[in-house]
Amino acid sequence: MSKAVRGFAPRSLLRLVLIAFTLVLLPLILLVIQNSRSLEQVIQLAEDGIESAVVDTRRASDMNDLALDMERTIRRYAVLENPELRLSYLRLLERYRQELESLLQVIEAGPLADDLQQQLIYLVDLAQADGEQIREQVGVFDAFNSATLALDKLTRVQIDGRIQQVRSHVIQVRQQLWALSAALGGASLLLVLLFTYLIIRPVRQLERRILSLGAGIDPDERPIRGPAELVELGEQLQWLHQRLRELEAQKLQFLRHLSHELKTPLASLREGADLLAEKVTGPLTPEQEEICELLVHNSYRLQGLIEQLLDYNRVQQVQVYQEEVALLPLLEQSLEAHRLTIEHKGLRVSLALDERPPLADAHRLKLVLDNLISNAVNYGDVGGQIRIEARLLEQHYCLTVANSGQPIPERDRERIFEPFVQGGQERKGVLKGSGIGLSIAREAAISMGGRLTLNTAMTELVCFELCLPKSADKES
């Protein structure tokens, strides 16, 4: 953003919005006002032109009629020599003279006007002659009527010219209005774009920072430039990021301390349970042996949960070493660890593995397999099956662990991969899970360049799918 724009931007979002609306509407208001004025001018000009054209046309027509009436009256006077006819003739002559003066004020007649003025003087003198003289000179009315008709024609031509001028002026005003509308419309559009940029830019920055927080990526630490409310919100997001980092560090430290603190009493508990199982303190009744076996078994389960907490920290901190890893030995170790539970529940395990190895970190791959097989064993139906398949596809190495059991509800299909979150399924075991197994497995898969997802296409079984890089991708 330029310095000029930064200096222009108000410190308040409300003020910025109000200024934006005002400045965007201002060109439109000016356009409406100018259009109204131009329209009024055009209307007034058209009214004046029409009124003038009607008046001048009527006056020219009246003069033609007066010229004919004057000729008829003077001819009758020449025959009858009635003084009333002479007075009527003079009145018609005066009216003609008044109409001519009014018409000549708006019409450029030139020599024709002088000719008519001279003829009017002669026609006034004609009224003083006797009947015989009038009859001899009455032929002058032919030239007078021709001049009057010429004036009428000239009047109509000039009226048409004025109407054409009005039409040209209207066209010019219309073009000016179009040009003004385009200019002010463009100005409004530029203002809209400018204020949209001023408002959207800090909002986009906030959006990117929120997405960075959600993805666990450090957001941009540069201050947000914009209205004070958005700047303050950016500072609060930065504070939230720092606070989340502190809480994450405290959580990891708490888990490390808790795990180590639990291992000491657990070691004593396991040692005592082993001594009882080995009958060091004496023979045990069948009921006591069953309780002792339960203590030993659950002490191992407790140790597994503590090791999961340690693995949760280790997955986020230990460096990844990718190499070709033989899958079958790791599966056999994981299945052996759950052999008693598998036999107790009567589960059928089937393996179908591709001989070619994937590219992975052995320790992290072992974590993923342990958690997937543990879920399959503990959530599987009694007498059900566990199907483990591995195949080399065109783009990656795919491993699936599927078990028969209760389907995972759609609302839990993504949440089960979050730390310390368990789905709504019933775990079929003595101890409840910690809720971090699948989270550890997914993070371990991602750290190896792969992904762990729930395969919803397989409806008859609950199937987790692990995709890893192929061994041929090592060099690339």
Side-chain angles (χ1 to χ4, degrees):
M1 186 185 297
S2 64
K3 293 182 179 179
V5 175
R6 289 200 300 267
F8 171 75
R11 298 301 301 167
S12 171
L13 181 60
L14 177 60
R15 186 178 302 174
L16 176 61
V17 172
L18 293 177
I19 292 176
F21 277 110
T22 302
L23 293 181
V24 169
L25 289 176
L26 183 60
L28 301 179
I29 295 174
L30 294 177
L31 179 61
V32 172
I33 294 175
Q34 182 61 31
N35 287 346
S36 300
R37 290 181 177 178
S38 300
L39 185 61
E40 290 177 359
Q41 293 177 358
V42 171
I43 292 174
Q44 186 64 38
L45 184 62
E47 289 179 351
D48 295 341
I50 293 173
E51 182 179 358
S52 175
V54 171
V55 171
D56 294 341
T57 302
R58 184 185 300 116
R59 182 175 288 119
S61 298
D62 291 344
M63 289 174 64
N64 288 328
D65 295 337
L66 287 173
L68 294 175
D69 291 341
M70 288 166 56
E71 183 180 3
R72 286 194 296 269
T73 302
I74 198 64
R75 286 181 181 276
R76 291 173 61 192
Y77 174 73
V79 174
L80 300 177
E81 295 184 355
N82 187 348
E84 293 296 331
L85 293 176
R86 179 176 175 276
L87 292 176
S88 176
Y89 169 76
L90 292 176
R91 285 195 295 268
L92 291 174
L93 187 62
E94 181 62 21
R95 285 181 55 193
Y96 184 93
R97 186 187 61 79
Q98 293 176 357
E99 294 289 343
L100 178 61
E101 290 179 355
S102 300
L103 186 61
L104 292 179
Q105 291 178 359
V106 295
I107 297 297
E108 295 291 337
L112 182 60
D114 297 335
D115 186 28
L116 285 172
Q117 295 286 355
Q118 293 295 329
Q119 292 185 24
L120 284 176
I121 296 174
Y122 182 78
L123 292 177
V124 171
D125 294 338
L126 183 63
Q128 306 300 326
D130 55 17
E132 185 65 25
Q133 292 175 340
I134 292 174
R135 286 193 295 272
E136 293 177 355
Q137 299 177 8
V138 77
V140 297
F141 276 97
D142 294 335
F144 180 70
N145 291 332
S146 298
T148 302
L149 290 175
L151 181 63
D152 184 16
K153 184 177 180 180
L154 180 62
T155 300
R156 295 180 186 275
V157 170
Q158 293 190 12
I159 289 174
D160 291 340
R162 290 204 300 264
I163 292 175
Q164 185 63 33
Q165 290 178 356
V166 172
R167 183 181 294 110
S168 300
H169 181 70
V170 170
I171 294 175
Q172 182 181 2
V173 170
R174 183 178 63 183
Q175 293 175 348
Q176 293 176 352
L177 290 179
W178 277 111
L180 183 62
S181 301
L184 294 179
S188 298
L189 180 60
L190 291 177
L191 289 173
V192 168
L193 295 177
L194 172 62
F195 284 102
T196 301
Y197 173 79
L198 293 176
I199 295 175
I200 292 299
R201 184 175 183 270
V203 173
R204 294 297 187 192
Q205 292 178 339
L206 292 173
E207 181 183 6
R208 288 194 294 269
R209 296 191 180 187
I210 292 173
L211 293 176
S212 298
L213 287 177
I217 304 173
D218 290 341
D220 189 0
E221 296 184 357
R222 290 177 297 180
I224 293 178
R225 298 185 181 276
E229 294 89 340
L230 300 182
V231 173
E232 183 179 358
L233 183 57
E235 294 174 353
Q236 293 175 353
L237 285 176
Q238 190 65 28
W239 170 84
L240 178 61
H241 170 64
Q242 297 294 337
R243 183 58 179 163
L244 289 176
R245 292 180 61 180
E246 294 174 0
L247 293 175
E248 182 68 17
Q250 293 175 5
K251 181 189 70 174
L252 295 177
Q253 184 179 10
F254 169 75
L255 292 177
R256 282 197 301 270
H257 292 173
L258 178 64
S259 302
H260 286 288
E261 292 296 328
L262 289 177
K263 290 182 70 175
T264 302
L266 177 61
S268 301
L269 179 62
R270 283 189 54 189
E271 184 178 357
D274 290 338
L275 291 175
L276 289 176
E278 294 173 0
K279 301 180 181 180
V280 174
T281 58
L284 302 176
T285 63
E287 292 80 4
Q288 292 172 338
E289 289 181 355
E290 184 178 355
I291 294 175
C292 184
E293 182 181 354
L294 184 63
L295 288 174
V296 172
H297 176 71
N298 285 289
S299 64
Y300 278 98
R301 295 295 301 153
L302 181 58
Q303 180 182 0
L305 294 176
I306 295 174
E307 289 177 351
Q308 279 189 343
L309 292 176
L310 293 174
D311 291 336
Y312 181 74
N313 292 328
R314 192 179 298 115
V315 164
Q316 302 181 23
Q317 298 175 3
V318 178
Q319 184 179 358
V320 180
Y321 295 96
Q322 285 191 324
E323 57 185 356
E324 294 182 354
V325 179
L327 189 61
L328 183 58
L330 298 181
L331 284 173
E332 291 176 345
Q333 293 175 19
S334 298
L335 291 171
E336 179 63 24
H338 297 86
R339 181 176 57 83
L340 293 178
T341 307
I342 292 174
E343 294 177 353
H344 177 72
K345 297 180 67 172
L347 299 174
R348 303 184 306 277
V349 180
S350 62
L351 297 177
L353 307 179
D354 195 300
E355 296 181 357
R356 287 166 292 186
L359 191 65
D361 181 281
H363 174 72
R364 294 174 187 247
L365 181 56
K366 180 67 164 53
L367 286 177
V368 176
L369 295 177
D370 285 343
N371 282 288
L372 293 181
I373 293 176
S374 175
N375 272 2
V377 170
N378 288 290
Y379 287 99
D381 291 335
V382 176
Q385 62 171 326
I386 297 176
R387 185 189 303 171
I388 303 174
E389 297 179 357
R391 58 191 183 279
L392 188 63
L393 302 179
E394 182 178 353
Q395 297 180 350
H396 52 260
Y397 189 93
C398 182
L399 169 69
T400 58
V401 178
N403 64 275
S404 57
Q406 182 182 358
I408 298 177
E410 185 175 356
R411 65 178 182 277
D412 295 333
R413 289 176 182 175
E414 280 300 323
R415 297 187 67 248
I416 57 176
F417 292 102
E418 298 177 8
F420 306 103
V421 173
Q422 292 180 303
Q425 295 172 288
E426 180 182 359
R427 182 183 175 96
K428 301 175 177 63
V430 179
L431 294 178
K432 296 296 182 182
S434 60
I436 63 173
L438 289 177
S439 175
I440 294 173
R442 169 168 278 190
E443 291 189 13
I446 294 174
S447 66
M448 292 185 293
R451 66 179 186 273
L452 177 64
T453 57
L454 177 65
N455 188 347
T456 56
M458 186 178 296
T459 57
E460 68 276 8
L461 297 175
V462 179
C463 179
F464 287 91
E465 184 175 271
L466 172 65
C467 295
L468 294 172
K470 299 185 298 183
S471 58
D473 295 338
K474 185 175 183 180
E475 294 182 359
S476 62

